[in-house]
Amino acid sequence: MNKSIQIYKRDIKNIVINGSSAIIILGLIILPSLYAWLNIAASWNPYGKTNQIPVAIVNEDQGATAGNRSFNAGKELVEQLKDNHDMDWKFTTRAKALDRLNNGDYFSVIIIPKGFSKELATVTSGQPQRAKMDYFVNEKINSIAPKITSKGASVLVESMSSKFIGTVNGIIFDIMNRLGVTMQEELPDIENFKNLVFTLERDLPSIFNKLQRAQKDLNSAGQILQKAKKDLPEAKALTQDGLSTINQTLTFINNAETKINSLKPQVRNDVEKIQHIATSAQDLITALNNDNFTPATLTDMHNKLNQQASTAIEKLTAIHTALITLQQNSNDQQTTEDRQALDKALQQTANAQQAMETLKQNIQSNTDQVQGLSERVGKLREFSDTALTGLTNFTNEFDNVIQPTIDSHINHIKEMLTGTKGILTDIQSTFPEITRLLNVSDNALASANQGLQKAIADYPLIHSRVQKLANQIRSFEKETNLNSVIQLLINNPTAEKTFFEEPIKMKEHRVFPIPNYGTGMAPFYSVLAIWVGGLLLVSLLATDVEDKQYTVREVYFGKLLTFWTIGLLQALIIVLGDLFLLKVSVQAPLPFLLFSLFISIVFMTIVYTLVSVFGNIGKALSIVLLVLQLAGSGGTYPVVLLPKFFQIINPYLPFTYAISLARESIGGIIWQKVILDLTFLGGVLLFILLFGSIFKKQMQTMTLKMTEKSRKSGLFH
């Protein structure tokens, strides 16, 4: 190692005393840091300047109506974007926008078509359609800008969708609010409806039975109605016959009344004559009793009494016949009192007739008997008294009962017949209406019968539906309280609208926060600059010495110390520039510096060893290894997004662990990861040192021959 240190001291001395060498070495020390700083500064905050990306907005929306409310979503979006500075929005026409897009003046164009609002409004219809926007992007301009503008367009669509969803839900919740208030007001009616459903479920079977009975009754009523329609002509005829009969009866009564009125004087005269006859006979008998009489006189008196009795009997017979005729003609219209009075009059007349017949028979019998005159006169007187009593009673009955009864009865019969005639006339006038009503009733019965038949036929379906509804109500009551549903419906539509515009608000918790994109890329570009610094050194500095007094191993380690020294200075400049020039936010500055110095030792050892062992081939290998590590280390894109090949080699690349160390110190240290990264890089360092110390001597002869041949070609130095 002493000779290796001697080589190292000589190299440092030559750098210090040789101004040209010092300038070159100083440039080699600073150049890698410039590579890191410029890349970090360039990517410091690219997404913070998206407001400078020109994106055209073309609004062709013609508006629409939804829920009796007119709106123009395109116009609202334009107004919203005028206050939005995420991108450089350009509001123009379709033709101008597409022309400037093709020329590269605009990165992308968003066109809101004519039917944009109309398609959004279909949300209230049975077949909603998704509204569409046209997005045009010029991907030739830049590979990153289209991704940025595409993300902006997606955010724009999401924002518009969120706003529209919030508006629609605001309308819906406003309706639900009114529905909830109405349900709360109508809760008693809802409860009544529920009870009605349960009652209907319970009573439907009995209703069905009643419907069946009603159908039977309707059939019977139909039969009765048909019979009534059939009998109506006969009823008309009977009514007409009844009117005719009543007219005839009235005529007869009027005639009878005329006759009776004409008979009244005659009957009265007959009654008076009968009474006169009775009085005369009484007087005659009294005279016989008081005066002296002879058998001849008595015989003559018998003849006179007999003649008077015959005349009285004849008159009484005529009166009796007239009373019988009156009784026969008015028997149906008599009242109980009239009938009793007429019967009594007939009885009195019959009694008077019987008394006169008995008197006549006694007169004849006494005429034939041979008795004493005094006895015969006494018998006559007895018979005469009896007859006179009967006639007197009859006369009183005729004056007080018979004649008033006849007059009253005839008047009553006439009133009854006249009233009956009026009733029959009214009945006859109603026959057309009755006919019409029967026809209407027949049609109504037919319709009712059809309705009943349909109701009976639909009963199984109705019963199942009602039973299903009742079961659903019971199930609903078991699972949910109606009051809870009403309280859920009664909400604040404005608050609900705001909620659905942004139903989920992400609360970001930044673990190991990185303030900007440049800080996030600092680990990658810093580590890359350290490797590039090593490449620059092996490209310009010699890895061997011409002095033959040193062994191969002494030269390897002696030159390695020189490369390490310059590499450490490169890493120091890079780290200090990151911290103080670019103001990269580093959570652990000292570990960042120490880790970077260690990474420089590892990378410089790898690059130096490859060139020292393999010569120009080693330079090529260093570049190949750089390319593989750029793609496979996960410095720019997450490893999971890389192709499968790079995912496989990622765990074996030094860049992977070097970038991880830098990230830990910049973002926040997890010491388990730091130990893992240091262990891997330490293992690589030991492996490369062993490889170089062993294989440099073995490969030297072949390497020198290849170098001499390449120089002879004039293409390599």
Side-chain angles (χ1 to χ4, degrees):
M1 286 300 295
N2 290 331
K3 290 186 177 181
S4 296
I5 294 174
Q6 185 179 359
I7 294 171
Y8 169 68
K9 289 180 178 180
R10 188 181 66 180
D11 288 341
I12 297 300
K13 180 180 179 182
N14 290 333
I15 292 173
V16 173
I17 65 175
N18 191 321
S20 298
S21 297
I23 293 173
I24 293 173
I25 295 300
L26 182 62
L28 292 175
I29 293 173
I30 296 174
L31 278 176
S33 62
L34 294 177
Y35 180 84
W37 297 343
L38 292 175
N39 279 286
I40 292 172
S43 61
W44 190 255
N45 191 20
Y47 297 105
K49 298 182 179 180
T50 57
N51 59 348
Q52 298 179 18
I53 298 177
V55 176
I57 300 293
V58 179
N59 179 29
E60 298 177 343
D61 190 13
Q62 296 179 345
T65 301
N68 297 324
R69 293 174 60 182
S70 298
F71 72 101
N72 189 311
K75 184 177 179 181
E76 292 178 9
L77 178 59
V78 169
E79 294 298 324
Q80 181 181 349
L81 290 179
K82 287 180 179 179
D83 298 326
N84 181 286
H85 303 290
D86 292 340
M87 293 186 184
D88 185 13
W89 306 108
K90 304 292 184 181
F91 304 101
T92 182
T93 61
R94 176 188 286 262
K96 186 176 179 180
L98 293 178
D99 182 62
R100 293 197 174 187
L101 177 71
N102 293 331
N103 291 334
D105 297 328
Y106 296 152
F107 282 78
S108 62
V109 175
I110 297 174
I111 299 178
I112 305 171
K114 295 180 180 179
F116 184 70
S117 294
K118 188 176 181 180
E119 289 176 338
L120 285 175
T122 58
V123 70
T124 59
S125 67
Q127 296 179 338
Q129 301 177 10
R130 291 182 178 178
K132 295 177 286 294
M133 285 184 182
D134 293 320
Y135 173 70
F136 299 86
V137 59
N138 188 340
E139 296 185 346
K140 180 177 68 176
I141 300 174
N142 186 277
S143 61
I144 299 297
K147 303 298 185 291
I148 296 175
T149 58
S150 176
K151 180 62 177 177
S154 299
V155 171
L156 189 66
V157 170
E158 290 174 4
S159 175
M160 193 64 198
S161 299
S162 175
K163 188 174 182 63
F164 180 75
I165 290 171
T167 301
V168 171
N169 279 286
I171 296 172
I172 293 173
F173 278 101
D174 183 57
I175 295 172
M176 290 175 64
N177 177 265
R178 293 198 299 270
L179 177 61
V181 172
T182 303
M183 287 181 65
Q184 191 176 45
E185 293 174 351
E186 301 297 331
L187 186 59
D189 292 337
I190 294 174
E191 291 292 335
N192 290 336
F193 174 76
K194 179 190 72 174
N195 295 331
L196 177 63
V197 171
F198 291 152
T199 302
L200 187 60
E201 179 190 29
R202 185 192 65 222
D203 294 344
L204 264 179
S206 63
I207 292 173
F208 178 68
N209 294 332
K210 290 177 181 178
L211 286 175
Q212 288 180 321
R213 288 198 299 271
Q215 187 180 34
K216 294 179 181 178
D217 294 341
L218 274 180
N219 292 332
S220 301
Q223 295 173 358
I224 293 170
L225 193 60
Q226 293 299 323
K227 188 174 185 305
K229 288 176 68 177
K230 182 179 178 182
D231 295 342
L232 187 61
E234 183 178 353
K236 288 181 181 179
L238 290 174
T239 302
Q240 187 62 42
D241 292 345
L243 282 173
S244 300
T245 302
I246 287 173
N247 288 330
Q248 292 174 3
T249 303
L250 281 173
T251 302
F252 173 77
I253 292 297
N254 288 329
N255 293 334
E257 184 180 17
T258 302
K259 290 181 178 179
I260 289 172
N261 288 334
S262 64
L263 287 174
K264 282 180 183 179
Q266 182 179 351
V267 171
R268 183 64 186 168
N269 187 41
D270 290 341
V271 170
E272 290 177 352
K273 287 182 178 180
I274 292 170
Q275 192 172 16
H276 178 72
I277 290 170
T279 303
S280 298
Q282 185 71 23
D283 291 340
L284 180 58
I285 293 171
T286 300
L288 288 175
N289 191 36
N290 295 329
D291 298 334
N292 295 320
F293 56 84
T294 63
T297 304
L298 184 60
T299 300
D300 183 52
M301 182 192 64
H302 277 156
N303 292 332
K304 287 181 179 181
L305 287 174
N306 188 45
Q307 183 179 1
Q308 289 177 349
S310 297
T311 302
I313 290 171
E314 181 180 350
K315 298 296 182 181
L316 289 171
T317 300
I319 293 172
H320 190 268
T321 301
L323 290 175
I324 290 175
T325 301
L326 179 62
Q327 185 186 46
Q328 292 175 347
N329 288 331
S330 59
N331 190 51
D332 294 336
Q333 290 78 24
Q334 289 176 346
T335 63
T336 302
E337 294 179 358
D338 292 342
R339 188 179 298 109
Q340 290 176 354
L342 193 57
D343 290 342
K344 186 176 180 181
L346 285 170
Q347 184 64 41
Q348 292 290 344
T349 306
N351 292 337
Q353 283 182 298
Q354 183 64 36
M356 293 308 297
E357 288 287 348
T358 302
L359 177 61
K360 184 178 178 181
Q361 291 174 2
N362 288 330
I363 290 171
Q364 292 176 350
S365 175
N366 286 328
T367 302
D368 296 334
Q369 290 179 359
V370 183
Q371 295 176 342
L373 289 177
S374 178
E375 184 181 357
R376 292 173 62 188
V377 171
K379 289 287 185 181
L380 285 174
R381 184 175 180 84
E382 182 182 349
F383 295 149
S384 176
D385 289 340
T386 301
L388 182 60
T389 300
L391 288 173
T392 301
N393 292 335
F394 171 75
T395 300
N396 292 332
E397 191 70 26
F398 182 84
D399 290 337
N400 298 322
V401 177
I402 295 175
Q403 184 170 337
T405 299
I406 291 171
D407 293 339
S408 173
H409 195 63
I410 289 175
N411 291 332
H412 178 69
I413 291 172
K414 288 176 68 177
E415 290 176 359
M416 291 286 292
L417 290 175
T418 302
T420 305
K421 179 180 179 181
I423 293 171
L424 288 176
T425 303
D426 291 340
I427 292 173
Q428 190 178 41
S429 66
T430 60
F431 276 122
E433 181 66 16
I434 291 173
T435 302
R436 187 186 70 80
L437 290 175
L438 286 174
N439 292 329
V440 171
S441 299
D442 193 18
N443 295 332
L445 282 175
S447 300
N449 197 23
Q450 290 178 356
L452 280 174
Q453 288 177 350
K454 188 175 187 308
I456 291 172
D458 293 342
Y459 171 77
L461 177 62
I462 295 172
H463 185 263
S464 64
R465 292 285 176 85
V466 170
Q467 201 169 43
K468 182 179 179 181
L469 178 59
N471 291 333
Q472 288 176 341
I473 293 174
R474 293 189 188 97
S475 176
F476 176 81
E477 287 183 333
K478 288 180 181 178
E479 298 176 359
T480 309
N481 185 280
L482 184 59
N483 288 317
S484 301
V485 174
I486 292 174
Q487 293 304 317
L488 181 64
L489 291 174
I490 299 175
N491 47 54
N492 186 338
T494 303
E496 297 293 341
K497 173 180 177 293
T498 304
F499 170 80
F500 276 96
E501 284 182 357
E502 192 178 4
I504 300 174
K505 188 173 183 179
M506 183 180 292
K507 186 176 181 180
E508 184 179 7
H509 300 275
R510 300 178 68 185
V511 181
F512 307 118
I514 302 298
N516 51 61
Y517 190 74
T519 299
M521 293 301 294
F524 173 71
Y525 284 119
S526 297
V527 169
L528 177 59
I530 293 173
W531 187 280
V532 170
L535 285 178
L536 289 175
L537 287 180
V538 297
S539 298
L540 296 178
L541 300 183
T543 57
D544 289 315
V545 294
E546 295 180 357
D547 195 339
K548 303 296 183 180
Q549 63 174 325
Y550 301 110
T551 64
V552 173
R553 187 173 286 108
E554 291 172 344
V555 172
Y556 172 78
F557 284 106
K559 282 294 182 177
L560 178 60
L561 292 174
T562 302
F563 277 86
W564 275 359
T565 301
I566 299 174
L568 290 173
L569 291 174
Q570 289 176 337
L572 180 64
I573 297 298
I574 292 170
V575 171
L576 293 177
D578 289 346
L579 292 174
F580 300 106
L581 184 63
L582 298 180
K583 306 293 183 182
V584 174
S585 176
V586 179
Q587 298 296 321
L590 182 59
F592 181 47
L593 175 60
L594 296 177
F595 294 159
S596 297
L597 294 176
F598 179 68
I599 291 168
S600 176
I601 291 173
V602 175
F603 284 2
M604 192 60 71
T605 302
I606 294 171
V607 175
Y608 167 77
T609 301
L610 289 175
V611 176
S612 178
V613 174
F614 298 109
N616 288 333
I617 295 176
K619 295 177 183 179
L621 290 175
S622 297
I623 295 172
V624 170
L625 187 58
L626 172 64
V627 172
L628 290 174
Q629 294 187 119
L630 285 174
S633 63
T636 54
Y637 298 102
V639 178
V640 293
L641 302 180
L642 300 177
K644 190 68 176 178
F645 169 75
F646 296 103
Q647 293 184 34
I648 293 173
I649 67 173
N650 174 267
Y652 308 104
L653 300 176
F655 257 44
T656 300
Y657 301 93
I659 293 173
S660 176
L661 275 176
R663 283 176 175 166
E664 290 298 313
S665 58
I666 290 175
I669 294 178
I670 298 177
W671 288 106
Q672 292 89 336
K673 294 190 66 176
V674 169
I675 293 171
L676 175 63
D677 296 335
L678 290 174
T679 301
F680 181 86
L681 291 175
V684 171
L685 177 61
L686 291 176
F687 174 77
I688 293 298
L689 288 174
L690 289 173
F691 179 83
S693 62
I694 295 173
F695 287 99
K696 181 173 175 61
K697 183 177 181 180
Q698 296 178 359
M699 299 291 295
Q700 185 177 22
T701 304
M702 184 180 67
T703 301
L704 290 174
K705 287 180 180 180
M706 291 183 65
T707 302
E708 289 177 0
K709 286 183 180 181
S710 63
R711 286 176 179 174
K712 288 179 180 180
S713 68
L715 298 174
F716 303 97
H717 59 79

